[in-house]
Each structure stands twice: as C-alpha cells, then as structure tokens.
Amino acid sequence: MNRPRLVDFRDNGQKARPTFSAAEMQRRQYALRAHMAANGIDAVLLTSYHCINYYADFLYCQFGRRYGLVIDHDRATSVSAGIDGGQPWRRTFGDNVTYTDWRKDNYFHAVLGLIGGVKRLGIEFDHVNIDFHDQMKAAFPEVELVDIAAPAMRMRMIKSAEEIAHITEMARIADLGGKACVEATREGTPEHEVALHSTQTMVREIARTWPHAELMDTWTWFQSGINTDGAHNPVTSRRIGRGDILSLNCFPMVAGYYVALERTLFCETASDEAVRLWTLNCEVHDRGKELLVPGAKCSDIARELNALYAEHNLLQYRSFGYGHSFGVLCHYYGREAGLELREDCETVLQPGMVVSMEPMITIPDHLPGAGGYREHDILVITEDGNRNITGFPYGPNHLIV
C-alpha cells in the first residue's frame, strides 16, 4: 500500500488568536536570525518544548513522536505529526509541515524538504540524545550540526514587556490558587482535595482571562507532614492533621509559560521551634529579595544567603538553589539553566530578567520542628532594583490556618 509521507492541514480552520503580538514573535525570530548570520548558520532545527514554543507559540504534545521548528533566514516552519491534525498549524507563528506515520523516517523526510542546500544546521545539543543525533547524521550526511541551545537560552533569559505583562497576570492567578488552598485546608482534609480546589480555581480564572488560550498543564502540589520534605513531592491522599506543617505550591500554565506560588503553612497550631525555624527562613527570603538587583551575580547572592543560614546552624538543611529564571518552562521540560541562584552560576542579573526567590530548609523527621520550610516570590529585575509580582502573604502571622 502506497500512502502519503506528508499531509497538508494548512486550510483546516483559521489561525488561532496568538499569545503575543506579531511584532513580539518577529522580534524573537529576528534575534535568532541575527545570531545565525553572525555565526554562519544557514538554518536551525529546534526540537525542545521550550524553544519551539518560544519562537513559534506552539506547544506540542510529544507522545513518542518527533516535533521540530525549522527557522532559516526567510521563514519559520513547524514540523508536526499527523495525529495532531491542524492544531499545530493553527498555533504556529509561521508555516507548518505535517508528516504521517506510514514510514518511520517521515519526520526526517519532512525536515529535509525544509533544509535543502543547508551546510550548517543549528540544533539543541542539550535536547538531542545520541540516537536522534545519529539519525540526523544519517539523514543529512552533508550537513554540519552546530549547537544553538545555549545562545537560544540566553535570548530567552531577557523578557520583553509583553512577556513580563503575561507573567505578571499569571502571578495574580497563582495568588488566587494560594487563597483557594487556604480555603480548603482543614484538619482531616486529604491533600488531593486541597490541590483539586486550587487547580480548578486557577483554570477557571485562566479561561476567563484568556478565553482564546489552550487550557493545559496547570497544577497544584499540596503537601503535609512528612511529604513537605521535598519541594517536588507529588500530591497524596494523606489527611491533614492538627499541628501539621503544610506546603502549598500553585502552578498556573498559560501558553507554555509557568509561574509559581509556594508557601509554608501550619494547620491550626505550630510549635515554638517550628515558628522559630519558619521565621528564620522568612528572614532569608526577605534578604534574598533585597539582593535581586541589576549587577548582582547569582553566585554572590547564594553565598550571602548561605552565610545567613550558617549563622543559625541551618545551612546543612538547605535543600537546593535559591531561585531561577521564569518564562517558557515546566516541570517536565526544564528551564533556563544559565540563570539559577546557585554557587556555581556566574550570571549577572540584568533588567528584564524574571527570577524567583525561594529559600528552603528541610528539618529531618527526628528533630523538633521537622518538615520542609519554603517561601517563593517572583521578581522582575528593573533598571534600579526589582518589582515583586507575588502578592500572597507569608509567615507565622498569616498562615497558621
């Protein structure tokens, strides 16, 4: 049976209302093309969730298939699987080619039709595994593959005014999710019921705020007791007990953009030691926000906050870095690793960056005040300091509920 290798869905409906203006999307693609021109790159093949979404406003659903975005010096074209119909074309800022399942190499056939004559092709080295790399070398034997991942990441680290407005509105919705968590928190209530109430609240507000948006990926982690020891511990059916330490984590997702609200709470009462630890962590949080200014180096911020923990003999309980960049990212497809508040990151903060401050300590279960303490705000780096776009309260005076 002879079946088509490509199908055309470009007349299946109208283009969807985009997340950002045409000028904003052109700005992103022009910046990438400027890098290509300066480095002798004829075209790029982007394959990651974050880069395809950033440069084309299309967030794919992989499910074992390959996706791509080919950008040359004249056009941008997404490459998608036939299972998705016309949705990739409707969402892409640019053109689209759709391949079928009838042959295993149809993806490469589709890409080859877009890169004919290319000598140097940019790809994301940090996203391409060995198997995929070998397949590309076999499919395009005359093409030199060069890394585009790090330059693309650096471009994403500085947010435009439109991106900052988008992220700010999402932070407002995260605050609503936090409020919903507090509303649902009661002794005897299972973690999953609190999380469901928060997620439903955020999704409904996203639908009201962006009626044209795809509704996907928004979620809540709500942890209690021993489950607070890790920042990314899944929701369980554990029931909240009186005196339990709690952690709310609200994550609205809109068009591949992620924000977060994270707070420590206690159910009805907290011990003196728990209040002491909680208060100290809030002091580190407050100081950290003061340090997020233009010209500050990520590693220096981490070291100063380490010293604060060390003064109280708590540094050994610190769990992870103090914060990271925000924008196109998610728990299942990563983030901009070049902008993390860690001792091994030498990035200097600049206006337009959007960074979290989220110190956490985990006190082992056999010690007084056991549990994970974490606060999380999102700040926009400005010309003369920062602007905090998180408004939800924190600390013992507000969140013993």
Side-chain angles (χ1 to χ4, degrees):
M1 184 182 296
N2 199 11
R3 302 291 297 172
R5 305 187 72 177
L6 306 176
V7 290
D8 191 347
F9 279 105
R10 290 177 296 178
D11 60 354
N12 205 54
Q14 301 297 316
K15 284 281 192 178
R17 180 175 171 181
T19 308
F20 300 102
S21 70
E24 166 65 10
M25 297 307 298
Q26 288 165 351
R27 178 195 67 79
R28 300 178 186 189
Q29 292 184 4
Y30 289 163
L32 186 60
R33 289 186 176 114
H35 174 83
M36 291 160 55
N39 291 273
I41 299 173
D42 303 309
V44 301
L45 170 61
L46 303 172
T47 52
S48 67
Y49 290 101
H50 39 279
C51 270
I52 292 177
N53 188 68
Y54 182 79
Y55 290 102
D57 198 24
F58 163 50
L59 186 63
Y60 63 79
C61 176
Q62 185 169 18
F63 242 120
R65 293 175 171 85
R66 300 198 188 283
Y67 290 77
L69 177 68
V70 174
I71 298 180
D72 61 20
H73 291 278
D74 300 307
R75 60 181 180 169
T77 308
S78 61
V79 180
S80 60
I83 193 171
D84 295 325
Q87 183 262 358
W89 174 78
R90 293 192 295 271
R91 300 302 312 188
T92 296
F93 183 78
D95 206 350
N96 170 259
V97 171
T98 301
Y99 69 93
T100 69
D101 284 348
W102 307 123
R103 283 180 52 172
K104 290 184 181 297
D105 62 346
N106 280 352
Y107 172 83
F108 298 99
H109 175 76
V111 171
L112 186 60
L114 299 171
I115 65 167
V118 166
K119 297 299 182 184
R120 282 169 55 84
L121 179 69
I123 63 171
E124 298 174 74
F125 279 18
D126 64 357
H127 186 259
V128 173
N129 59 31
I130 294 173
D131 182 56
F132 190 21
H133 183 271
D134 289 347
Q135 289 175 331
M136 282 197 290
K137 292 295 290 183
F140 320 130
E142 304 301 320
V143 176
E144 179 187 358
L145 303 178
V146 297
D147 185 33
I148 198 71
M153 177 188 67
R154 288 192 292 270
M155 293 175 204
R156 299 196 312 272
M157 280 164 47
I158 305 294
K159 310 315 183 209
S160 69
E162 285 192 33
E163 286 183 281
I164 291 170
H166 183 80
I167 294 168
T168 300
E169 187 68 353
M170 291 175 63
R172 177 186 67 83
I173 293 173
D175 286 351
L176 294 178
K179 181 180 178 182
C181 282
V182 172
E183 289 173 351
T185 297
R186 298 288 186 278
E187 181 182 3
T189 302
E191 292 175 3
H192 71 272
E193 291 294 341
V194 178
L196 284 170
H197 181 53
S198 169
T199 300
Q200 290 170 353
T201 298
M202 292 189 289
V203 169
R204 291 184 176 118
E205 183 63 13
I206 291 168
R208 188 193 69 80
T209 304
W210 290 280
H212 57 283
E214 296 173 335
L215 301 174
M216 57 186 293
D217 295 333
T218 293
W219 86 104
T220 302
W221 283 324
F222 186 85
Q223 301 133 350
S224 65
I226 189 65
N227 292 335
T228 65
D229 66 346
H232 297 162
N233 292 353
V235 171
T236 75
S237 58
R238 183 187 186 278
R239 293 182 180 272
I240 299 168
R242 187 175 188 275
D244 271 354
I245 186 172
L246 312 171
S247 184
L248 66 82
N249 309 263
C250 302
F251 308 110
M253 290 284 295
V254 181
Y257 278 73
Y258 155 107
V259 302
L261 170 71
E262 300 170 6
R263 291 289 187 260
T264 302
L265 310 86
F266 275 81
C267 179
E268 296 188 7
T269 186
S271 68
D272 290 345
E273 179 61 5
V275 170
R276 185 185 77 88
L277 293 165
W278 191 3
T279 300
L280 289 171
N281 203 56
C282 289
E283 290 176 3
V284 174
H285 182 57
D286 291 338
R287 178 56 182 155
K289 289 186 288 185
E290 294 173 351
L291 296 174
L292 295 179
V293 296
K297 188 183 293 184
C298 292
S299 57
D300 291 341
I301 293 170
R303 292 187 184 98
E304 179 165 340
L305 298 182
N306 282 347
L308 285 179
Y309 275 139
E311 286 178 18
H312 301 283
N313 195 29
L314 293 174
L315 183 57
Q316 66 270 34
Y317 302 127
R318 194 193 110 189
S319 300
F320 53 86
Y322 289 100
H324 58 82
S325 178
F326 275 75
V328 178
L329 59 112
C330 185
H331 61 310
Y332 61 83
Y333 55 82
R335 61 182 185 234
E336 294 147 15
L339 183 48
E340 302 225 11
L341 302 179
R342 305 187 342 178
E343 299 87 341
D344 57 358
C345 182
E346 301 303 312
T347 300
V348 175
L349 298 183
Q350 300 176 48
M353 291 178 171
V354 181
V355 190
S356 63
M357 175 50 58
E358 49 179 308
M360 179 177 180
I361 51 174
T362 297
I363 308 303
D365 195 46
H366 64 279
L367 296 178
Y373 298 79
R374 182 171 72 262
E375 314 300 339
H376 180 295
D377 286 16
I378 301 173
L379 298 98
V380 178
I381 307 302
T382 62
E383 294 289 342
D384 57 357
N386 65 56
R387 177 167 59 92
N388 192 338
I389 60 174
T390 298
F392 202 76
Y394 57 93
N397 293 333
H398 300 284
L399 291 179
I400 298 177
V401 299

